Amino acid sequence: MSLPLFDPAVVPSGVPVRGNRFSRWFGRLLMRLGGWRIEGRFPDAPKMQIIVVPHTSNWDFVVGIQAVIALGIDAHWLAKHTLFESCLGPVLRRLGGIPVNRQAPRGAVEQIVELFNTRPALMLAITPEGTRRKVQHWKSGFYRIAWRAGVPLVPVFIDYRRKVIGILPPHPLSGDYDADLPVIRKLFADVTPKRPSCFQKPG
C-alpha cells in the first residue's frame, strides 16, 4: 500500500533516522487518515534546532509525533526530568523525550548546548511559546541554544486549516535576538492553529 505524503527528499541522508519500513508506513497511514501532509525538507545536517509554531493544543504533540514516525526521523523534545522518574519514563524516552532539570545550577539552555556539543547527532524540537495559552512574548531559550551550539534553526509550522506540516528553510541568526525575533515570528503569520484564539500573530 503506497502512502506518498511527501517527497523522499524531505529527509536527506545526513539527517538522523530511526524506525523501520513498517513504522514509517504506520505513521503515514495515521497521517493519511487524518488528512495531513508534509511540505518542505530538512537541511542535510545531523544537528538542528527545530521550532514548532503555533502551539495551542495537545493535538500539536499528537500530530507532531505522527509526522516523526512517518518520516522516520530521530527527533527529540524536552520535558521536566521528574516526568521520567515515573513508569512513563521509558515510553517518553522512546517517543524522543529528553529530561531537563530546570532547577539545575547550569540551567536548561546550558544542559541542551552541552548535549549538542557532545552528541554526534541531535534533532531537537522546541515550542518557543512555552505554553498552549496565548502569549505576547516567546521564550528565548530556543534562540540561545541554536546560537551557542552553532546549529541550524529550522522553523516548522502545523497548519490545521490546510492540514499541512511545513518545514521551512533554516533561518539565519545574527546573534541579536531582539532584531531576529520579529522576522522569525512573521514566518508563521499565515498559519492557522488548532485554537486560533490562543495564538498571538505577529503585528
Side-chain angles (χ1 to χ4, degrees):
M1 181 177 181
S2 177
L3 297 171
L5 290 164
F6 47 81
D7 189 302
V10 167
V11 184
S13 60
V15 173
V17 296
R18 65 175 172 176
N20 52 45
R21 180 177 298 180
F22 173 77
S23 63
R24 291 190 295 272
W25 177 88
F26 182 67
R28 295 179 191 187
L29 175 62
L30 292 177
M31 294 196 71
R32 174 58 60 86
L33 292 175
W36 288 91
R37 69 180 189 275
I38 299 172
E39 295 179 352
R41 71 190 303 270
F42 287 107
D44 191 0
K47 300 181 184 183
M48 65 190 75
Q49 170 71 81
I50 300 167
I51 55 170
V52 183
V53 181
H55 179 44
T56 65
S57 166
N58 285 329
W59 281 105
D60 301 336
F61 180 79
V62 175
V63 174
I65 289 295
Q66 289 178 3
V68 166
I69 297 172
L71 291 170
I73 56 176
D74 189 17
H76 297 269
W77 44 275
L78 307 178
K80 294 179 181 179
H81 69 288
T82 53
L83 294 176
F84 294 82
E85 296 172 357
S86 68
C87 59
L88 292 176
V91 176
L92 296 177
R93 285 187 170 85
R94 180 63 180 171
L95 291 175
I98 295 178
V100 173
N101 184 355
R102 292 181 172 84
Q103 305 303 319
R106 291 180 300 156
V109 170
E110 287 74 14
Q111 294 175 63
I112 302 307
V113 169
E114 183 177 355
L115 284 179
F116 270 115
N117 290 337
T118 56
R119 292 191 179 189
L122 178 60
M123 298 180 73
L124 179 65
I126 288 181
T127 54
E129 292 159 289
T131 177
R132 296 182 299 276
R133 298 186 299 273
K134 189 173 185 177
V135 296
Q136 298 290 331
H137 305 286
W138 288 5
K139 295 182 179 296
S140 63
F142 77 93
Y143 188 99
R144 291 184 286 141
I145 291 171
W147 177 254
R148 290 178 54 184
V151 297
L153 180 69
V154 182
V156 171
F157 65 78
I158 303 178
D159 191 323
Y160 283 83
R161 180 180 64 83
R162 297 193 299 130
K163 289 294 187 73
V164 169
I165 295 177
I167 307 164
L168 302 178
H171 191 80
L173 304 180
S174 68
D176 186 338
Y177 174 74
D178 292 330
D180 289 347
L181 182 61
V183 181
I184 296 172
R185 292 190 63 160
K186 284 182 180 179
L187 298 173
F188 305 96
D190 297 326
V191 177
T192 302
K194 179 69 172 177
R195 299 166 61 201
S197 63
C198 295
F199 179 50
Q200 179 67 42
K201 289 197 172 186

